[in-house]
Amino acid sequence: MTAPRSGSGLGAHPGPAPTPDVEEPAAPAGPTGTADSRPARRPRRGLRGLRGLGDLHAYLFIAPSLFGVLAFLLLPVLIVLVLSFFDWELLSEPTFVGLDNYRRMAGDGGVWRSLLVTVGYVLLCIPLQTVLAMVLALLLNQRLAGVRFYRALYVVPWMATPIVLGLTWKWIFDPRDGVVNNVLALFGVTGPAWLSDPTWALPAIALVNVWQYAGYNMLFFLAGLQGIPRELYDAAAVDGAAPVQRFFRVTLPLLNPTMFFVLVTNLIGAFQVFDTVFVMTDGGPSHRTEVINFKIYGTAFREFDFGYASALSMLLFVVILAVTLVQVRFFAKRTTYDLS
């Protein structure tokens, strides 16, 4: 025991209470300084339980999109695959014919001609469309007056309906009253019958689609350009790289992710072209614009041979899949996603 301490002028004040030789651990203080009387926490769930709950939440979030993919993409492909082994004229009962539709397709010269026309259209459309979109993105990435207005202006054609654009361009290419030939006549040039000429019909359709989608692809290249760190250009300039060298050594390699996305989506869309062909030429003249998608449409809804049309659809599916896999393999080791 210790002696009590003396007061500080107001009388004696007792000292601290006696303490035992061995102290017990005090209870944890609550929010008001008193001992916490809350019940002990329940033990946490195991990591497997938390992980399973997180997976459930993730599947719930992606369920709407997953339903769309299954119902409107995978299921139709499966149905078309099954129908390709049948002979079906829509109103009659389907008859199983095995591989007869595929044997017929292998010997059908019109199918392979349509496939060549489609490849020709892709070769006319995709390179010009991609280069034009890249040039527009480089120009509109500068600090210019009214640059936002021009960015929006070039996207307007993509927002229009392909049927309306096809009708409009059909009038523009009209050999007598069309704008194109009237402008050429001012310079003493006689324009051809664009959509009736076997030589010019397919390039005219490709030009329409380039005009419609170049501005849309420009947005992706513009986003890719704005994601490249400025320090890389400054370092290249310090090393003495000219603007052309900076484009091919810095800009183009770092745009590989954007280029990959643009080429994959554009090639898939180009192989499935139909609207402008249907409106502007109806597959003519002399089948020069009869792309494979238009051939499928004619076989199904004009000849009512849905089994054979399904086999043609599977051919188009395999071609698109093969082209996409080639692009994936090409860009796999040439693409950098992390610029940090």
Side-chain angles (χ1 to χ4, degrees):
M1 299 294 294
T2 60
R5 299 178 182 177
S6 60
S8 58
L10 296 179
H13 182 76
T19 57
D21 295 333
V22 179
E23 296 182 354
E24 296 180 359
T32 60
T34 60
D36 193 355
S37 60
R38 291 179 296 179
R41 295 181 180 179
R42 295 180 180 178
R44 295 182 178 180
R45 294 184 179 181
L47 293 178
R48 292 185 178 179
L50 291 176
R51 186 177 303 170
L53 186 60
D55 291 344
L56 177 60
H57 289 165
Y59 284 121
L60 288 176
F61 276 111
I62 68 173
S65 297
L66 185 61
F67 172 78
V69 171
L70 293 175
F72 301 107
L73 182 62
L74 298 182
L75 183 60
V77 171
L78 182 61
I79 293 175
V80 169
L81 176 62
V82 173
L83 284 178
S84 67
F85 298 104
F86 287 81
D87 182 15
W88 188 38
E89 297 178 357
L90 188 63
L91 299 179
S92 61
E93 287 290 332
T95 304
F96 182 77
V97 294
L99 297 176
D100 286 354
N101 287 326
Y102 291 96
R103 296 190 187 98
R104 174 185 169 188
M105 181 177 62
D108 190 347
V111 173
W112 304 109
R113 179 191 60 221
S114 298
L115 190 59
L116 287 176
V117 170
T118 306
V119 172
Y121 167 81
V122 170
L123 294 177
L124 285 171
C125 184
I126 297 302
L128 180 59
Q129 181 174 289
T130 305
V131 171
L132 182 58
M134 176 73 75
V135 172
L136 289 175
L138 291 171
L139 293 176
L140 297 180
N141 195 36
Q142 310 297 321
R143 295 182 178 178
L144 304 174
V147 67
R148 294 183 179 180
F149 169 76
Y150 289 109
R151 290 174 183 174
L153 182 64
Y154 285 119
V155 184
V156 170
W158 172 75
M159 301 172 63
T161 307
I163 298 296
V164 175
L165 287 180
L167 292 173
T168 303
W169 278 94
K170 187 175 182 179
W171 169 75
I172 292 175
F173 283 121
D174 186 88
R176 295 181 59 183
D177 302 322
V179 176
V180 175
N181 281 0
N182 286 334
V183 172
L184 292 176
L186 297 177
F187 299 94
V189 178
T190 301
W194 296 93
L195 302 180
S196 303
D197 192 325
T199 303
W200 291 104
L202 191 63
I205 293 176
L207 181 63
V208 172
N209 285 280
V210 168
W211 176 82
Q212 182 178 8
Y213 291 103
Y216 174 69
N217 292 317
M218 175 268 298
L219 291 179
F220 296 105
F221 284 121
L222 185 61
L225 289 172
Q226 294 180 352
I228 299 177
R230 185 64 192 176
E231 293 80 4
L232 298 179
Y233 292 108
D234 295 338
V238 170
D239 290 339
V244 175
Q245 292 175 319
R246 291 199 293 268
F247 174 77
F248 285 103
R249 298 295 179 88
V250 178
T251 304
L252 205 55
L254 294 180
L255 281 180
N256 271 343
T258 306
M259 185 72 71
F260 173 59
F261 172 80
V262 168
L263 287 180
V264 168
T265 54
N266 284 348
L267 279 168
I268 291 175
F271 272 102
Q272 298 181 33
V273 63
F274 172 77
D275 304 58
T276 49
V277 173
F278 177 77
V279 174
M280 296 179 66
T281 62
D282 198 35
S286 303
H287 304 283
R288 292 299 181 92
T289 61
E290 189 182 51
V291 293
I292 187 66
N293 220 12
F294 190 84
K295 178 71 174 178
I296 295 171
Y297 163 79
T299 304
F301 297 101
R302 292 179 177 177
E303 302 175 11
F304 296 100
D305 193 348
F306 285 87
Y308 189 49
S310 299
L312 298 181
S313 299
M314 294 310 301
L315 172 64
L316 178 59
F317 174 79
V318 170
V319 170
I320 293 176
L321 180 62
V323 172
T324 304
L325 291 178
V326 169
Q327 293 179 88
V328 170
R329 187 175 182 85
F330 177 80
F331 282 98
K333 298 181 180 179
R334 296 173 173 84
T335 304
T336 301
Y337 294 96
D338 187 7
L339 299 182
S340 59

